[in-house]
C-alpha cells in the first residue's frame, strides 16, 4: 500500500477523534456522490451545524447491527425501488431534547445513539434523526457511505456509530467529485474516497489473518493428477475452506503458474453458459497439468463475493434487462467484493513470492501486488465465450476493466 495513503488515513482518524468531519466520495461506478461523515461518539453541535448548513442533505446515523438490535430499531421496508439498498430504520429523537430539530438537539440524539447503555425508552419514535443499519462487512461488503462511516468508527476505535449527510451544491444539484474536493478544501477538512478506504482495510486486515492447513490429499481429476489441500481461517471456523489445488513443487525458484479462482457453483459445477467461470477453471487446470507444476487457489467468493442467494437475485434482474453491474447496484451490493488477502497469505506460507497469474482481471494483479506477491506475468484466460454470455463479457470489459481482447 502507498505510504502516502497510510499517513493520510492516520491524519483523518486523528482529525475525526478530535470531533472533525471528513468528506467521503463513492465510486463513479455507483453514485459518484459524497457524504460528510463524523464519529457519533465525538459529535458536537458545531459539527452537526456544519453538516446541515454546508452539506445540506439528510442527516443520518449509520450503526452496526448489534447497536440497532439493542435499540430495537427495525429496518423500514423500502421495497425494490430503493436502488442502493439503504437500510433506514424508524427515525428517533433523544428524550433529552425539546423540538429535536436544532443542531444542539440532533447532537444530543446522535450522542445518545452511540452510548452503549442506551435503550429503546431513551428515544421518541419517530423523530428527526434517521438511523441506518450498516452491513457488517463494511465497505468490503457494500460500497456505501453507511458502511464507510461504520469502518471509520471501527478504525478509530470508538463505538460503531457515525453520522453522515449528503453533499448538495448551492444550486440544489448533487455534488460530484470535483465539487466535493473543492468543498473539502474550502472547509479545511479531509477528502477521502471509498476506494482508498477499501485499499486501506485490505492492506491492514491482511496482516491479521490466521490461516492454517488442516488436510492434504491426493487428487486425481479428468484434467490431470494434483494435490488438494484445505485451509481454514481460525477466526471463522464455520466458513467453507479455501482450497489449494497444486501440482509439482510449487516452492521452486521460478514464478509459480497460478490461477485465483472464485467459486462459481453455476459455472464450475453445472456448466452455466451465463458466465465463463467453468471454462476458465478447466483451462487453468489443463495448463498446470501440461506445465508439470502450478496451482489453483479456489476461493469461496461466490458471485464476486455477494454469495449464491444474491447472485441468483442478480440473475433475475439481468433477465429483466439489467447488466451484471447494474443488478448488483440495484440490490445495494458492491460490483466486486472479492478479496485476495487469504490467497496471498497461503502463498506466503508455501514460500511463494512470485507468480505468473492466469487472469483477465487487473484487480487480481493489483491486489496480489498490494499484499506483497509479485506478479511477473499476466496470462490471459479468454475461453468460454457463448452467445448467452457475450453481453456479460462486454460488461466485464467496459464497466469492470477486464482485459478481454476478443470482446468488442
Amino acid at each position: 500500500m502507498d505510504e502516502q495513503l497510510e499517513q493520510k488515513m492516520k491524519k483523518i482518524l486523528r482529525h475525526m477523534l478530535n470531533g472533525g468531519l471528513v468528506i467521503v466520495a463513492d465510486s463513479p461506478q455507483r453514485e459518484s456522490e459524497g457524504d460528510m461523515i463524523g464519529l457519533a461518539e465525538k459529535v458536537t453541535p458545531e459539527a452537526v451545524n456544519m453538516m446541515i448548513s454546508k452539506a445540506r442533505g439528510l442527516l443520518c446515523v449509520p450503526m452496526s447491527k448489534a447497536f440497532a438490535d439493542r435499540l430495537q430499531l427495525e429496518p423500514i421496508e423500502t421495497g425494490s425501488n430503493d436502488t442502493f439498498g439503504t437500510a433506514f430504520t424508524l427515525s428517533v429523537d433523544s428524550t433529552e431534547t425539546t423540538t429535536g430539530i436544532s443542531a444542539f438537539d440532533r447532537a444530543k440524539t446522535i450522542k445518545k445513539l452511540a452510548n452503549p447503555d442506551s435503550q429503546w425508552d431513551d428515544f421518541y419514535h419517530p423523530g428527526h434523526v434517521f438511523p441506518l443499519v450498516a452491513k457488517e462487512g463494511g465497505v468490503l461488503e457494500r460500497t456505501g457511505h453507511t458502511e464507510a462511516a461504520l469502518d471509520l468508527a471501527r478504525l478509530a476505535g470508538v463505538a460503531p456509530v457515525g453520522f453522515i449527510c449528503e453533499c448538495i451544491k448551492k444550486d440544489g444539484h448533487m455534488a460530484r467529485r470535483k465539487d466535493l474536493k473543492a468543498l473539502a478544501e474550502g472547509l479545511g477538512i479531509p477528502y477521502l474516497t471509498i476506494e482508498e478506504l477499501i485499499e486501506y482495510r485490505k492492506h491492514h486486515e491482511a496482516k491479521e489473518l490466521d490461516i492454517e492447513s488442516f488436510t492434504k490429499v491426493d487428487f486425481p481429476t479428468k484434467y490431470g493428477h494434483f494435490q488438494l489441500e484445505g485451509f481454514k481461517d481460525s477466526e471463522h471456523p464455520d466458513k467453507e475452506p479455501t482450497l489449494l489445488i497444486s501440482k509439482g513443487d510449487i516452492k521452486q525458484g521460478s514464478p509459480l503458474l497460478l490461477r485465483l479462482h472464485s467459486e462459481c457453483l453455476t459455472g464450475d459445477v453445472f456448466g452455466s453458459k451465463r458466465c465463463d467461470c467453468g471454462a476458465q477453471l478447466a483451462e487453468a487446470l489443463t495448463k498446470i497439468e501440461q506445465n508439470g507444476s502450478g496451482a489453483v487457489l479456489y476461493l469461496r467468493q461466490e458471485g464476486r463475493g455477494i454469495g449464491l442467494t444474491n447472485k441468483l437475485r442478480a440473475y433475475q434482474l439481468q433477465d429483466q434487462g439489467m447488466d451484471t453491474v447494474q443488478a448488483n447496484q440495484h440490490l445495494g451490493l458492491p460490483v466486486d467484493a472479492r478479496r485476495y488477502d487469504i490467497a496471498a497469505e497461503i502463498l506466503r506460507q508455501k514460500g511463494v513470492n512470485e507468480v505468473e497469474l492466469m487472469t483477465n482481471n487487473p484487480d487480481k494483479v493489483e491486489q496480489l501486488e498490494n499484499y506483497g506477491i509479485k506478479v511477473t506475468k499476466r496470462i490471459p484466460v479468454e475461453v468460454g465465450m457463448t452467445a448467452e454470455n457475450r453481453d456479460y463479457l462486454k460488461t466485464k470489459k467496459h464497466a469492470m476493466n477486464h482485459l478481454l481482447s476478443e470482446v468488442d
Side-chain angles (χ1 to χ4, degrees), residues 120-186:
W120 166 270
D121 291 340
D122 293 321
F123 300 93
Y124 300 124
H125 310 80
H128 297 86
V129 172
F130 299 85
L132 304 172
V133 183
K135 297 290 186 182
E136 284 303 297
V139 294
L140 300 182
E141 182 175 352
R142 178 178 179 271
T143 54
H145 293 103
T146 302
E147 285 67 33
L150 184 70
D151 282 350
L152 288 167
R154 285 174 169 166
L155 288 169
V158 298
V161 186
F163 61 111
I164 67 177
C165 186
E166 303 100 329
C167 296
I168 300 173
K169 296 193 293 184
K170 290 180 180 179
D171 66 4
H173 290 94
M174 297 304 299
R176 305 298 177 181
R177 284 206 171 188
K178 182 178 179 181
D179 311 308
L180 297 169
K181 289 181 180 178
L183 178 61
E185 289 175 3

Side-chain angles (χ1 to χ4, degrees), residues 107-122:
K108 288 179 181 178
T109 299
I110 294 167
K111 179 81 79 172
K112 181 67 71 172
L113 286 168
N115 186 332
D117 297 323
S118 294
Q119 300 296 327
W120 166 270
D121 291 340
D122 293 321

Side-chain angles (χ1 to χ4, degrees), residues 18-34:
N18 287 326
L21 304 175
V22 59
I23 290 178
V24 178
D26 68 8
S27 169
Q29 293 181 334
R30 199 171 184 271
E31 295 175 293
S32 195
E33 296 173 358

Side-chain angles (χ1 to χ4, degrees), residues 310 348 362 385:
N310 283 325
R348 277 192 290 270
M385 182 185 290

